[in-house]
Amino acid sequence: MSKTEKENNLSSEYKLGMFSGVFTPSILTILGIILFLRMGYTVGHAGLGKVLILITLASLVSILTTTSLSAIATNIHVKGGGAYYLIARTLGVQFGGAIGLVLFLAQSVSIAFYCIGFGEALMDLLPPVSYLSPQTIAVMAVIFLFFLAWMGADWATKFQYIVMGLLILALVSFFVGGMMKWNYELVIQNFSAPDKGLPFWVLFAIFFPAVTGFTQGVNMSGDLKNPGRAIPLGTFLAVGLSTIIYFLVAIVFSGTMPNGQLMADYGAMKKVSVIPGLINAGVIAATLSSAMASFLGSPRILQSLAKDKIFKVLNPFAKGVGVADNPRRGVLLSGGIALVTISLGQLNLIAQVVSMFFLISYALINYATFYESRTQSPSFRPRFRLFSPWLSLAGFIICSGAILAIDIQSGIMAVCVLLAIYQYLKQRTGPARWADSRRSHYLKQAKENLNAAAREPEHDRDWRPIILAFTNDSKRLKSILEFSGWLEGGSGITCAIRMIKAEGLKKKAQRAKIFKELSVHMKEMNTGAYPLVLSVSEISKSLPVIIQSFGIGPLKANTALINWMDDLGKVLSGRGPLTYAENLRIAYREGLNLVILHADENRWNRILNRTQKEQSIDVWWDNDATSRLMLLLAYLMTRHEIWSKATIRVLSCESGEDNSNDELQKLMEDVRIDAEPFIVKDFEVDTVIKMSSDASFVFMPCRIRDNKVLDVQGGSLLKLLPYLPMTGLAMAAQDIDLEAEPDSGSQGEIAQAQDELNEAKDKHEAAKKESQRLQEKVEKLTARLVEYPKENEDFPKILKTADQAIEEEENAFRRAAKAKAKAEQAAKTLEQILNGNGKEDIDPTGI
């Protein structure tokens, strides 16, 4: 086992699970001071009927936002930073940097608020002491929590278990007391709001902070063993359980105390509880647990922000300590901000703005998820099955409405701060440091946003099929365009190309006539493909030019689609299969993936006569670029209505090193494509026919040898295709990384090269200054030597010092020269990456 693997395994031992890393911090923050000191007050003013609506509305924000969080968290590998990381990787560096900075500040300031709440609660229990105040207790609480956070998340989690125990005891005491004092008639009386009750939205503003803690677990994403599973499950459990508790607490209050008494008594929960002292313990535990959650979350947001190098001044905070990468520098800064906040005294205005920052972050999480889902990018494949983009849009609207309803002035102030940071980053940030959803959105809106898409670098996450569908057979035009529509998966583009052999003055009129006929046919078929008619003198010479010149800006063809043995090679040249294979070879060498459709009327009827649940797609897997292409195309087909319930089967030869059933199943999970792996003994004709003859569609790899299109074994396809259903033969000219991360690819290379350039510049500048300083020192010593005669007793000492200074100056000059050369090389490397940002084609060995 390598050193890196040992470090990774050791690091995983310090990672947190769903319960300790997500559920515990989330529910402890939700069940906070509002529950113990303001819940009865809210019930008294609103009445049971309105308070149930109020809890439902507030919880709806949590549920909808959690749905969006779950979708993003199961679509990418979530690293440290929680909500900041998710927003940044979706909406880009400007929105991400702005929300990350304000969330860090909001979480740090929240530490102070919770600790002051703890101080006030503790003061009520202690006898009057002249030198003790809530602020003094809050400072001591910050120092105590600071040491827990300094030790790491595992230590803080152990403390949270103690807090959870106190909360459970307090709630049990309250519910037992409520059952003993229950009065059903009082519930009926308390159902309606009293005449002197506060307005609904004022009460909503008082209660809403109670549900803002559900993202505390998300902030721990970098410390989780499996963020993709832990975040959705842990957050939903915390939100669901806390919502039930709030409903039950409201009902118990309505059945034990009249509204008028609840309105006037913040300590109503103690009067209901069978052991009042446990409620005091619960208040203390609630405030400390919320403060601890913020103390864990804020440094991790800062660390993730620093690792992304968005704000240069924050770069030192990227460093962590130990195998768990504990962000101690961030802990130190968060503690400092909390102490400064406590010293301010009057915190109401800041508290309102902080609440707005949380609401805006929830709105952006919902919008980011809706935004990415509407791009219909093939890389957006969340494993969370309950996700709907319209739920995310609803969450965004509700969060925005809540901002206006609670405090429009604080909301405007918070938005202005965010926009100011956004505009600053928009002006200052360089090349994109990771792939986000913006480029996919531009591609979908190509007509309006073509220029914007061209400015975004290419990435595997953005790959979608841009198909050149070649056919000169009007009878088979419908089939190839229908199939192309399946391959698009709602995100690709198809151009139907018809080439005519024409010369002279009549070619323009002939081309226009055929274009009109093609357009009419495509309109009748209601296809989204674009028609293109080209007049050529010779296919083999014209085809490379057509492929190279097709498209505009970032819209370049990547896939050639053609019917099996169609007119492209047969009719135009009169040479039949030889020309057919030659033209396929040309398209492949120009960088186009090849997909050859073998279908006839009987095979089409076979698909149309089957129900959706009976449909199946077989992919013959050889663990290469063609296999990955076929798997992605099969997944895109399942986006079409006809194939929406189809089963994808991946058939692999048992002789493959990495093709065991377990390895294939793990691969399908990693690439987030639902497929059933099957191991077969070989790829011989009899095996393929036996396994796939009953399938609805089959993807098969093919090869071109000696101007013939052959199967993967080098055998004739004429022995195979007649016995298979509709088949797509494929050969990949590009390798698509189905597991591409946002930070990988050209964006990551550019960011690394930029970092190396900045580091080299800094070293050169430092070495240059050091050389200049030593040069001045040498000049001063030389001047002193001139003043002193050789007979002076100090002359040898000064001479020796001067010689040492000269040697140091020469060394510093050499270091400066080396640093300058390294900076120049780094600048050259960055320029090469920026100017040559393309992907290498597959080596066409044997073509």
Side-chain angles (χ1 to χ4, degrees):
M1 183 180 293
S2 66
K3 181 180 178 181
T4 302
E5 291 175 336
K6 290 181 179 178
E7 291 176 352
N8 290 336
N9 291 336
L10 185 61
S11 177
S12 64
E13 295 177 5
Y14 290 85
K15 296 288 186 178
L16 303 176
M18 178 276 295
F19 185 82
S20 59
V22 180
F23 175 81
T24 300
S26 296
I27 197 165
L28 290 184
T29 308
I30 297 172
L31 300 179
I33 197 168
I34 299 295
L35 173 67
F36 289 96
L37 298 182
R38 292 295 183 272
M39 193 62 207
Y41 176 85
T42 305
V43 173
H45 278 274
L48 180 59
K50 284 187 178 180
V51 86
L52 293 179
I53 297 174
L54 187 150
I55 295 172
T56 301
L57 183 60
S59 298
L60 186 61
V61 173
S62 302
I63 293 170
L64 293 176
T65 307
T66 302
T67 302
S68 299
L69 278 173
S70 300
I72 303 182
T74 57
N75 186 61
I76 61 176
H77 177 65
V78 185
K79 301 177 182 177
Y84 152 71
Y85 184 89
L86 299 179
I87 293 173
R89 265 49 181 184
T90 306
L91 294 182
V93 64
Q94 291 86 8
F95 271 117
I99 199 65
L101 185 60
V102 299
L103 275 180
F104 162 70
L105 293 174
Q107 291 275 13
S108 299
V109 173
S110 295
I111 299 171
F113 291 140
Y114 292 129
C115 287
I116 288 176
F118 166 76
E120 292 175 350
L122 195 59
M123 284 290 292
D124 292 337
L125 302 178
L126 297 176
V129 181
S130 58
Y131 57 86
L132 204 59
S133 67
Q135 283 76 15
T136 305
I137 297 175
V139 169
M140 291 188 291
V142 169
I143 295 173
F144 168 72
L145 296 176
F146 169 84
F147 282 107
L148 284 178
W150 184 267
M151 294 301 295
D154 52 339
W155 281 80
T157 301
K158 294 174 183 177
F159 169 73
Q160 287 184 340
Y161 288 143
I162 299 173
V163 172
M164 178 175 282
L166 292 175
L167 283 177
I168 292 174
L169 290 175
L171 288 173
V172 170
S173 175
F174 171 76
F175 285 123
V176 171
M179 292 173 62
M180 295 170 60
K181 301 174 183 178
W182 180 259
N183 185 345
Y184 180 77
E185 294 181 358
L186 193 58
V187 175
I188 304 301
Q189 296 175 12
N190 289 340
F191 190 84
S192 300
D195 296 334
K196 297 181 180 180
L198 293 174
F200 179 84
W201 288 111
V202 174
L203 295 172
F204 183 86
I206 294 172
F207 175 78
F208 185 79
V211 301
T212 58
F214 67 93
T215 57
Q216 293 293 358
V218 181
N219 293 334
M220 301 296 295
S221 57
D223 293 81
L224 300 176
K225 294 179 181 178
N226 187 356
R229 179 181 181 274
I231 289 175
L233 182 58
T235 309
F236 264 115
L237 285 176
V239 170
L241 181 58
S242 60
T243 301
I244 293 172
I245 291 174
Y246 274 110
F247 276 126
L248 293 176
V249 169
I251 294 171
V252 170
F253 270 131
S254 295
T256 54
M257 297 178 67
N259 282 342
Q261 190 174 350
L262 289 171
M263 292 169 62
D265 190 0
Y266 289 158
M269 185 171 274
K270 287 195 292 185
K271 294 182 179 180
V272 176
S273 176
V274 69
I275 304 178
L278 287 176
I279 302 302
N280 293 328
V283 173
I284 294 173
T287 51
L288 280 181
S289 66
S290 298
M292 188 69 256
S294 296
F295 227 137
L296 290 176
S298 56
R300 283 154 179 81
I301 295 174
L302 179 64
Q303 185 183 43
S304 182
L305 195 64
K307 285 182 177 180
D308 287 339
K309 302 182 185 300
I310 298 177
F311 300 94
K312 189 175 182 179
V313 69
L314 299 179
N315 288 355
F317 293 96
K319 185 177 180 180
V321 176
V323 292
D325 202 27
N326 186 30
R328 287 185 173 176
R329 294 180 179 181
V331 171
L332 189 63
L333 182 59
S334 295
I337 293 174
L339 292 175
V340 171
T341 306
I342 291 172
S343 67
L344 295 178
Q346 299 296 327
L347 306 177
N348 289 338
L349 177 60
I350 302 176
Q352 292 173 354
V353 177
V354 167
S355 297
M356 291 302 108
F357 283 145
F358 283 119
L359 261 177
I360 290 172
S361 70
Y362 302 158
L364 284 179
I365 289 171
N366 285 297
Y367 179 74
T369 312
F370 173 77
Y371 178 91
E372 181 159 11
S373 67
R374 296 305 293 170
T375 65
Q376 295 188 335
S377 170
S379 68
F380 186 68
R381 302 189 296 273
R383 303 294 297 182
F384 186 69
R385 299 303 184 192
L386 299 179
F387 166 73
S388 169
W390 305 113
L391 291 178
S392 297
L393 179 61
F396 170 74
I397 294 173
I398 293 175
C399 288
S400 302
I403 292 172
L404 298 176
I406 292 174
D407 189 347
I408 190 170
Q409 292 182 346
S410 299
I412 292 174
M413 189 180 301
V415 170
C416 288
V417 172
L418 278 172
L419 290 179
I421 301 174
Y422 174 87
Q423 290 298 329
Y424 169 81
L425 291 175
K426 189 175 181 181
Q427 299 297 325
R428 296 295 298 271
T429 52
R433 303 183 68 87
W434 55 76
D436 51 54
S437 298
R438 290 178 297 172
R439 190 169 189 271
S440 292
H441 180 72
Y442 297 150
L443 288 173
K444 186 175 182 294
Q445 305 294 332
K447 292 181 181 179
E448 296 80 12
N449 300 310
L450 192 58
N451 291 333
R455 290 194 294 268
E456 294 294 319
E458 186 179 354
H459 196 273
D460 277 326
R461 281 169 51 85
D462 303 323
W463 191 93
R464 57 188 65 211
I466 302 179
I467 301 169
L468 299 183
F470 294 94
T471 179
N472 275 44
D473 188 346
S474 299
K475 296 179 180 178
R476 294 201 285 179
L477 175 64
K478 181 177 181 180
S479 63
I480 199 169
L481 292 183
E482 182 83 13
F483 178 58
S484 180
W486 297 346
L487 297 183
E488 288 180 16
S491 62
I493 298 173
T494 297
C495 181
I497 295 182
R498 178 166 292 181
M499 289 182 284
I500 59 172
K501 194 172 182 179
E503 296 180 355
L505 298 176
K506 294 183 178 181
K507 67 178 182 180
K508 183 176 181 180
Q510 189 176 357
R511 188 170 65 240
K513 178 183 178 182
I514 296 178
F515 180 85
K516 184 177 181 180
E517 293 175 355
L518 185 60
S519 299
V520 170
H521 286 312
M522 294 174 66
K523 186 176 180 180
E524 292 174 351
M525 288 183 284
N526 193 28
T527 178
Y530 298 95
L532 179 62
V533 178
L534 301 168
S535 55
V536 299
S537 58
E538 188 175 342
I539 293 288
S540 59
K541 293 182 179 179
S542 302
L543 192 56
V545 178
I546 293 170
I547 294 172
Q548 293 178 52
S549 61
F550 178 83
I552 179 171
L555 296 180
K556 299 294 184 182
N558 54 37
T559 303
L561 175 61
I562 187 171
N563 278 312
W564 172 250
M565 293 298 292
D566 87 341
D567 297 333
L568 180 62
K570 188 175 181 181
V571 174
L572 295 182
S573 66
R575 293 170 57 194
L578 293 180
T579 301
Y580 179 81
E582 289 176 2
N583 290 329
L584 288 175
R585 186 200 307 271
I586 292 171
Y588 180 86
R589 286 181 170 174
E590 291 297 335
L592 294 187
N593 302 310
L594 302 183
V595 180
I596 305 170
L597 175 63
H598 179 261
D600 56 25
E601 187 174 353
N602 292 332
R603 288 176 170 83
W604 274 101
N605 291 334
R606 180 178 177 178
I607 292 175
L608 297 177
N609 292 334
R610 286 187 173 185
T611 64
Q612 291 184 6
K613 292 183 178 181
E614 294 175 333
Q615 304 285 20
S616 62
I617 303 173
D618 280 4
V619 177
W620 285 83
W621 181 269
D622 200 24
N623 199 25
D624 57 6
T626 299
S627 300
R628 289 183 282 276
L629 172 67
M630 293 189 300
L631 179 61
L632 182 57
L633 293 179
Y635 161 75
L636 290 174
M637 283 179 64
T638 61
R639 286 184 168 186
H640 194 278
E641 182 181 2
I642 293 178
W643 301 95
S644 61
K645 297 182 180 179
T647 301
I648 299 177
R649 300 198 312 166
V650 178
L651 300 100
S652 176
C653 184
E654 60 186 358
S655 61
E657 295 180 2
D658 298 324
N659 290 353
S660 68
N661 197 75
D662 292 341
E663 289 289 336
L664 277 176
Q665 185 63 54
K666 184 178 183 303
L667 176 63
M668 297 305 110
E669 293 175 358
D670 290 342
V671 302
R672 309 181 305 283
I673 293 178
D674 290 330
E676 299 178 1
F678 283 86
I679 304 299
V680 298
K681 62 180 181 178
D682 53 45
F683 279 9
E684 297 295 334
V685 172
D686 292 341
T687 304
V688 174
I689 294 174
K690 178 181 178 182
M691 295 298 299
S692 294
S693 59
D694 291 332
S696 305
F697 191 92
V698 179
F699 275 108
M700 285 285 299
C702 66
R703 300 287 183 268
I704 299 177
R705 298 286 187 276
D706 300 326
N707 287 328
K708 295 179 181 180
V709 183
L710 306 172
D711 65 20
V712 70
Q713 300 287 92
S716 173
L717 288 166
L718 296 178
K719 298 179 181 179
L720 181 62
L721 293 179
Y723 306 99
L724 292 179
M726 188 183 295
T727 303
L729 303 172
M731 192 161 62
Q734 305 166 356
D735 196 358
I736 305 167
D737 185 3
L738 297 179
E739 301 177 74
E741 293 289 337
D743 304 80
S744 64
S746 58
Q747 288 89 343
E749 294 177 6
I750 293 171
Q752 183 178 357
Q754 185 68 59
D755 294 340
E756 291 176 356
L757 174 59
N758 293 337
E759 183 180 357
K761 284 182 177 179
D762 292 342
K763 287 184 178 180
H764 171 246
E765 192 65 28
K768 185 178 178 182
K769 290 180 179 179
E770 179 68 10
S771 177
Q772 291 174 350
R773 186 185 67 80
L774 291 171
Q775 187 176 4
E776 293 174 357
K777 181 178 179 181
V778 170
E779 291 174 355
K780 290 180 180 179
L781 290 171
T782 303
R784 290 184 65 188
L785 287 173
V786 173
E787 295 176 359
Y788 283 82
K790 294 183 178 180
E791 294 78 10
N792 192 300
E793 58 182 8
D794 292 334
F795 185 84
K797 183 178 179 181
I798 298 174
L799 180 62
K800 183 178 180 181
T801 304
D803 290 339
Q804 292 176 346
I806 292 172
E807 183 178 356
E808 291 177 359
E809 191 275 333
E810 290 176 349
N811 291 333
F813 180 80
R814 284 193 290 270
R815 288 196 299 271
K818 290 181 179 180
K820 182 180 179 182
K822 190 172 182 180
E824 291 174 349
Q825 180 60 40
K828 184 178 180 181
T829 301
L830 178 61
E831 183 179 1
Q832 290 174 345
I833 295 175
L834 291 173
N835 293 336
N837 210 3
K839 294 182 62 176
E840 295 184 1
D841 293 338
I842 303 299
D843 181 15
T845 304
I847 300 297

